Amino acid sequence: MTQRTETVRRVGSGDFRDAMARFAAGVVVVTTVGDEGVPRGFTASSFCSVSLNPPLVLVCLADSADSFAAFASCGRFAVSVLSPEHRPLAERFATKGADKFASDGLSRTPGGLPAVAGALAELDCEVHARHPAGDHVILIGRVSGTRLSEGAGSPMVYYERAFRYLA
């Protein structure tokens, strides 16, 4: 068997971002209420299930995010799974410095957390763990409640640095 030798070069942040842009991911809005009672939130595509028993999910949040301090100390958060009709909200919650809770399109979970009205699914989560990871924190939530929209819907996806939908 012939051994193959390859030159390995260091991966720069631009190369890494370009590679990850080729991975299609679902889009969610994650919300909480900060210590001062002010709602906080962000758009994420780094979201996935971790465990069925107990039911755990994870979401990644940049240390530089406007809402970082609120999520670094909160005990609960909500996740809203978005459809293409939620694009304006996804863009607003992804914009640094935007007043994310100024307009319509939002509702409250049974536990009183802000959420996206008409989301494909809502998950109520209790913080299970936080793990620093480079310039992000991995927030793991234990799912304490779920709500599904009526009927099936199409998910919004993020691919090649743009919000898209499945045909």
Side-chain angles (χ1 to χ4, degrees):
M1 180 175 225
T2 307
Q3 188 170 1
R4 220 169 80 175
T5 305
E6 293 182 24
T7 302
V8 178
R9 66 182 176 113
R10 276 198 99 104
V11 176
S13 61
D15 294 332
F16 182 66
R17 287 174 59 104
D18 290 346
M20 295 311 299
R22 298 283 175 98
F23 181 72
V27 181
V28 299
V29 164
V30 185
T31 53
T32 193
V33 176
D35 291 336
E36 64 287 346
V38 176
R40 306 293 282 175
F42 63 97
T43 299
S45 59
S46 296
F47 170 76
C48 68
S49 63
V50 174
S51 169
L52 289 175
N53 190 17
L56 300 174
V57 295
L58 75 74
V59 63
C60 298
L61 173 63
D63 297 349
S64 60
D66 292 343
S67 59
F68 181 81
F71 283 93
S73 63
C74 72
R76 306 177 305 135
F77 62 94
V79 178
S80 300
V81 178
L82 305 185
S83 66
E85 71 188 54
H86 296 115
R87 184 178 181 154
L89 278 170
E91 290 171 343
R92 188 167 79 214
F93 275 81
T95 303
K96 195 166 181 72
D99 186 355
K100 297 169 171 125
F101 297 90
S103 302
D104 59 345
L106 300 172
S107 62
R108 292 273 178 183
T109 68
L113 292 174
V116 173
L120 294 175
E122 285 180 11
L123 294 91
D124 289 309
C125 302
E126 298 170 14
V127 174
H128 180 76
R130 291 180 182 87
H131 300 286
D135 58 1
H136 280 64
V137 65
I138 300 168
L139 183 62
I140 298 177
R142 183 179 180 132
V143 179
S144 58
T146 62
R147 284 162 306 288
L148 303 177
S149 65
E150 294 296 321
S154 296
M156 182 187 312
V157 295
Y158 193 70
Y159 179 75
E160 283 286 339
R161 297 182 181 91
F163 295 115
R164 301 178 189 267
Y165 59 93
L166 299 178

